[in-house]
Amino acid sequence: MTDASTSSRAGVGADQRRALWASVKPRGGRGDRSPLGMWFWDIDRVLLTLALLLIAIGLLAVAAASPASAVRYSGDKVHFPPLYYFWRQVMWVGVSLPVMFVVSMLPVPLARRMALIGAAIFLLLLAVVPFIGVEHNGARRWIGLGIAEFQPSEFLKPFFIVAIAWLLSLRAKEADLPVVPITGALTGLVACLLMMQPDFGQTIIYCVIWLALLMVAGTSVRVMGGLLATAPVGLIAAYLFYDTARMRINAFLPRGGDDSTIDHYQTDMAYATLTAGGATGTGPGGGAMKLRLPEAHTDYIFSVIGEEFGLIACGVIALLFLAIVVRVFVKLLDEPDPFRMLAAAGLATQFGAQALVSMAVNTGLAPSKGMTLPFISYGGSSMIALSIGMGLLLAFTRRNPFLTRSPYVVRWSGQ
């Protein structure tokens, strides 16, 4: 009787505990062990908030630039409504946000495997772009799918970074692996394919990312010094033998006595539009200079922001990009996994370098390169690819903040 009653009470107690757990679990909180709950508490919510803020600012900026681009690209046979590009950007954001969230939930091994497969696929597509690509404004960078077009170089970028990070991380296991020549050859192949389109701006970004990853990976000072020493030689060779680079650089250089053949219109209009609104801007829809600006919704959207929202708003946007880069690198100071450190550093470098180049072009500090401003410029390929990149960055920086604080966690010291 006694054993039976004790067993009965134990069973009742277990049932009560299960019922209590079932009642508490749906409420969420740090004890929520559902996949969504674990993702929410492990994710870098500050980094996610910064990315969402940039996307929201981008929608406002595209809404401001859309009427100017709609007027420019309308003609006798086609007419675009004033907010045509804004509503299309809303659609692309609606597609991109779920992609970013899903990618950020992937375990690191699965995210790495997906990136390596994606790098192989989009490298192959990049190789066929010069032959089957669609041409716009003298450049063949897109592949048409009937109802839409996509730019393989944009999608390749985050996958390329993860692939290079994976190759460089292998040196932690095999110190004799020639990872620098291998990754250099891969970067050189991508650069050649990009120059065939031509796409001088993306070529620069890929090379900068590779050099940054080599530095983070601890490449010797002698090797880094040799690579950096070849950079001026490469620029001179590009100027002498690559027509696209020569035209971009000539348009950037100060005017000489006879420069009638050099087109300074884009750089002049970008700077004039950027400064037309002063510190606080003319207000949404009040800009007039943007109507004369080419590619107001893509390459020169930063100038439109300056005209209508002011130079103060431009400074805030620059600080947001800086905050993303600083946030990631600070978190990586105590990252023990070489692959995660390199991948996250490379992805953060991509966001920072691309934003820096785009803003430098708009302010007249760099030659025109056709570079979009991440999460702000209009474009489906750019928005989806950047969302994949941010999703990977969130996945590689995920960590349980309480795991390292627990006194019950034992770490192997290697001894």
Side-chain angles (χ1 to χ4, degrees):
M1 287 292 292
T2 303
D3 294 341
S5 61
T6 302
S7 176
S8 176
R9 286 195 298 271
V12 172
D15 292 339
Q16 290 176 344
R17 287 193 296 271
R18 282 193 292 269
L20 180 62
W21 173 249
S23 64
V24 172
K25 186 178 179 180
R27 298 179 185 177
R30 297 186 186 274
D32 187 355
R33 306 310 298 169
S34 66
L36 185 60
M38 294 174 64
W39 170 83
F40 179 78
W41 293 112
D42 292 350
I43 205 75
D44 188 338
R45 294 184 295 280
V46 174
L47 189 59
L48 177 61
T49 301
L50 291 172
L52 294 177
L53 187 57
L54 283 175
I55 292 174
I57 293 173
L59 288 176
L60 292 176
V62 173
S66 181
S69 296
V71 170
R72 173 173 287 271
Y73 294 111
S74 295
D76 296 334
K77 297 182 180 180
V78 60
H79 175 74
F80 294 111
L83 293 179
Y84 171 79
Y85 293 102
F86 167 73
W87 291 116
R88 284 184 63 86
Q89 187 72 350
V90 170
M91 177 190 70
W92 291 124
V93 169
V95 173
S96 301
L97 285 179
V99 172
M100 182 172 67
F101 289 132
V102 169
V103 173
S104 69
M105 295 179 183
L106 296 176
V108 172
L110 184 58
R112 179 174 58 229
R113 190 177 304 116
M114 180 200 73
L116 294 177
I117 295 173
I121 293 173
F122 284 102
L123 181 60
L124 178 62
L125 291 175
L126 186 67
V128 301
V129 164
F131 308 101
I132 65 171
V134 179
E135 184 174 340
H136 294 290
N137 298 326
R140 195 181 298 271
R141 305 172 184 172
W142 298 265
I143 293 180
L145 297 177
I147 60 174
E149 299 173 356
F150 72 96
Q151 193 172 350
S153 61
E154 289 286 354
F155 287 94
L156 175 62
K157 208 180 303 176
F159 299 145
F160 168 85
I161 292 170
V162 177
I164 295 296
W166 173 69
L167 289 170
L168 291 175
S169 69
L170 295 178
R171 192 166 58 177
K173 301 177 181 178
E174 295 289 341
D176 296 332
L177 285 177
V179 292
V180 175
I182 293 174
T183 56
L186 183 59
T187 305
L189 173 61
V190 173
C192 291
L193 294 174
L194 288 171
M195 293 174 72
M196 291 173 62
Q197 296 183 358
D199 195 339
F200 185 54
Q202 293 284 15
T203 304
I204 297 295
I205 292 296
Y206 274 86
C207 293
V208 167
I209 292 171
W210 175 60
L211 291 174
L213 285 174
L214 289 181
M215 293 179 64
V216 175
T219 305
S220 67
V221 176
R222 179 176 56 84
V223 174
M224 290 303 304
L227 291 173
L228 293 176
T230 61
V233 178
L235 288 176
I236 293 174
Y239 182 83
L240 294 176
F241 304 107
Y242 188 46
D243 293 339
T244 301
R246 186 185 307 114
M247 289 187 295
R248 302 288 190 184
I249 295 173
N250 285 339
F252 171 72
L253 294 174
R255 290 172 171 80
D258 182 16
D259 60 352
S260 58
T261 61
I262 301 176
D263 185 7
H264 297 278
Y265 180 78
Q266 291 187 354
T267 54
D268 290 346
M269 286 306 304
Y271 182 79
T273 305
L274 176 70
T275 57
T280 57
T282 61
M289 294 295 294
K290 67 181 182 181
L291 298 174
R292 302 165 57 189
L293 185 65
E295 307 295 339
H297 60 312
T298 54
D299 300 348
Y300 296 103
I301 197 167
F302 192 67
S303 295
V304 176
I305 295 173
E307 181 182 22
E308 299 204 350
F309 299 98
L311 297 177
I312 295 177
C314 293
V316 171
I317 291 173
L319 289 176
L320 288 175
F321 283 110
L322 178 62
I324 289 178
V325 176
V326 172
R327 174 75 179 179
V328 172
F329 276 90
V330 169
K331 290 197 69 171
L332 294 179
L333 290 176
D334 59 348
E335 176 58 59
D337 185 352
F339 167 72
R340 293 177 64 162
M341 179 185 66
L342 288 166
L347 291 166
T349 301
Q350 175 210 336
F351 282 100
Q354 187 168 330
L356 181 63
V357 170
S358 178
M359 290 185 289
V361 168
N362 279 258
T363 55
L365 298 177
S368 177
K369 293 182 176 64
M371 186 70 61
T372 58
L373 191 60
F375 285 137
I376 294 182
S377 294
Y378 169 84
S381 293
S382 176
M383 180 60 67
I384 296 175
L386 287 166
S387 296
I388 293 173
M390 180 56 68
L392 289 170
L393 182 56
L394 290 168
F396 295 142
T397 55
R398 279 173 57 189
R399 61 179 65 178
N400 188 334
F402 300 97
L403 186 61
T404 56
R405 303 179 194 173
S406 174
Y408 303 104
V409 175
V410 178
R411 292 186 177 274
W412 180 56
S413 63
Q415 298 178 354

